[in-house]
Amino acid sequence: MNAEEARHVDAVLRHLGLPGVVAPEDPENPAGVWRVYDRADPEKRTDTTADALVSLAKAFRRESRASASEPAQDEQKGPTRGFVIPPTDD
């Protein structure tokens, strides 16, 4: 991702309370490729971009389910039961 995309990813991570430090791959070249890391120190950091993107996707999925009126199929507890009442001919 570039610097502009990284700024957006950083804002979303912070908004959702997800861990990660967004920084350039090469600290000397902020115009280059950016990634998400577990810490800011370039000497000790580990690239966690893939994990951060998965966490973002899961967070948005939970958020969209919470706004839906019905639970997702994997959230339903037990079988669904009901009755079918045929229309009466009046």
Side-chain angles (χ1 to χ4, degrees):
M1 77 185 101
N2 62 30
E4 181 67 22
E5 293 166 332
R7 195 177 65 198
H8 291 289
V9 169
D10 184 53
V12 173
L13 287 173
R14 282 186 283 120
H15 176 73
L16 295 174
L18 298 172
V21 176
V22 183
E25 260 184 351
D26 179 4
E28 302 296 321
N29 182 17
V33 177
W34 288 59
R35 300 207 177 273
V36 180
Y37 298 99
D38 61 342
R39 65 188 77 199
D41 184 0
E43 299 297 319
K44 298 179 181 178
R45 67 187 183 190
T46 302
D47 184 356
T48 60
T49 304
D51 294 335
L53 295 177
V54 168
S55 296
L56 284 173
K58 286 180 180 178
F60 281 115
R61 193 172 343 169
R62 281 191 304 267
E63 203 171 274
S64 67
R65 282 183 188 166
S67 65
S69 60
E70 296 181 14
Q73 284 201 323
D74 61 336
E75 293 177 350
Q76 291 180 347
K77 308 293 184 212
T80 302
R81 298 181 182 163
F83 296 96
V84 176
I85 302 173
T88 57
D89 293 333
D90 287 335

